[in-house]
């Protein structure tokens, strides 16, 4: 199974916008963490992504603010700052080799997480390392998804404040969609 190797920004702009239709659960209370992790652990492959507040000033650095973990019909948004850091159950999940976790450019995510907590990630599939075997040379999430599904992923909320007291509906949709699309690509390619 081979696909077109690349797609232009112009081609993407003409595609319909993808929408995440599943349930979004914001996890910002430590009491909700064990149940969320138990659900994710019991349901098979999980889409994975992180968000960090963008830097607009030289020498300004922010810590990772959000970890998104998506199943086919639900996405958990773990608000790291609101949880007081990485809960042990989330660290254990990241380190668990029994659950496939699918993301893109994972070394960047791992580096950001390690600035907050020690991890030994296991069970991860990095789509950037897998899609070239299918003839795809564009390795951004937006381009891979457009090539495979003929839809575009809106990036409007990417540079928003992920440390805000409350995540907007647009932020939640964007965050869930990024993790969910990783899972959809994984399933479609039957990796």
């Amino acid at each position: 199974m081979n696909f077109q190797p690349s797609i232009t920004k112009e081609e993407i702009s003409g595609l319909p916008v993808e929408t995440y239709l599943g349930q979004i659960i914001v996890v910002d209370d430590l009491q909700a963490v064990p149940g969320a992790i138990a659900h994710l652990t019991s349901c098979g492959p999980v889409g994975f992504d992180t968000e960090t507040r963008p830097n607009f000033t030289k020498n300004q650095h922010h810590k990772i603010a959000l970890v998104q973990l998506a199943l086919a019909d639900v996405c958990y948004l773990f608000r790291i700052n609101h949880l007081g850091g990485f809960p042990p159950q989330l660290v254990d999940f990241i380190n668990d080799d029994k659950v496939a976790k699918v993301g893109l450019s994972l070394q960047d995510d791992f580096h950001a997480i390690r600035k907050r907590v020690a991890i030994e990630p296991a069970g991860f599939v990095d789509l950037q390392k897998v899609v070239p075997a299918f003839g795809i040379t564009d390795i951004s999430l937006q381009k891979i998804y457009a090539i495979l599904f003929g839809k575009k992923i809106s990036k409007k909320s990417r540079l928003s404040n992920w440390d805000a007291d409350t995540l907007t509906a647009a932020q939640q949709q964007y965050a869930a969609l990024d993790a969910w699309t990783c899972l959809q690509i994984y399933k479609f390619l039957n990796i």
Side-chain angles (χ1 to χ4, degrees):
M1 165 168 55
N2 277 329
F3 302 93
Q4 71 183 68
S6 63
I7 189 168
T8 66
K9 289 182 180 182
E10 293 76 22
E11 290 172 313
I12 291 174
S13 69
L15 297 176
V17 177
E18 181 63 276
T19 303
Y20 175 73
L21 300 175
Q23 182 182 13
I24 298 172
I25 299 174
V26 177
V27 181
D28 55 7
D29 180 334
L30 285 172
Q31 293 179 339
V33 173
I37 296 297
H39 184 217
L40 289 160
T41 302
S42 69
C43 290
V46 175
F48 170 86
D49 195 24
T50 66
E51 301 298 338
T52 301
R53 182 178 176 178
N55 301 319
F56 296 112
T57 307
K58 188 176 178 179
N59 296 325
Q60 179 185 49
H61 303 284
H62 298 287
K63 292 182 179 178
I64 192 169
L66 191 69
V67 173
Q68 305 103 274
L69 296 170
L71 298 167
D73 58 354
V74 64
C75 183
Y76 292 94
L77 306 180
F78 291 86
R79 305 231 33 221
I80 303 306
N81 294 338
H82 292 251
L83 295 169
F86 275 80
Q89 300 94 332
L90 183 55
V91 172
D92 290 346
F93 183 79
I94 290 169
N95 295 339
D96 186 353
D97 65 353
K98 295 176 195 72
V99 178
K101 296 165 284 284
V102 187
L104 189 98
S105 188
L106 291 171
Q107 292 309 313
D108 295 337
D109 293 313
F110 298 157
H111 180 71
I113 293 171
R114 285 186 177 115
K115 288 182 178 181
R116 296 196 75 149
V117 68
I119 56 167
E120 292 298 327
F124 280 88
V125 175
D126 191 333
L127 293 172
Q128 285 186 332
K129 295 179 179 176
V130 175
V131 297
F134 294 90
I136 300 171
T137 57
D138 279 331
I139 56 173
S140 75
L141 183 61
Q142 188 178 46
K143 289 186 173 189
I144 295 168
Y145 198 79
I147 289 168
L148 296 180
F149 294 97
K151 292 186 176 182
K152 67 181 167 187
I153 301 169
S154 172
K155 293 292 186 181
K156 289 180 184 173
S157 294
R158 182 172 63 95
L159 297 178
S160 60
N161 181 3
W162 296 102
D163 289 330
D165 288 339
T166 303
L167 294 178
T168 66
Q171 284 178 305
Q172 291 181 36
Q173 174 68 211
Y174 170 85
L177 186 63
D178 263 9
W180 179 80
T181 54
C182 288
L183 179 62
Q184 297 314 300
I185 292 166
Y186 175 84
K187 288 180 173 180
F188 184 79
L189 295 177
N190 198 24
I191 301 169

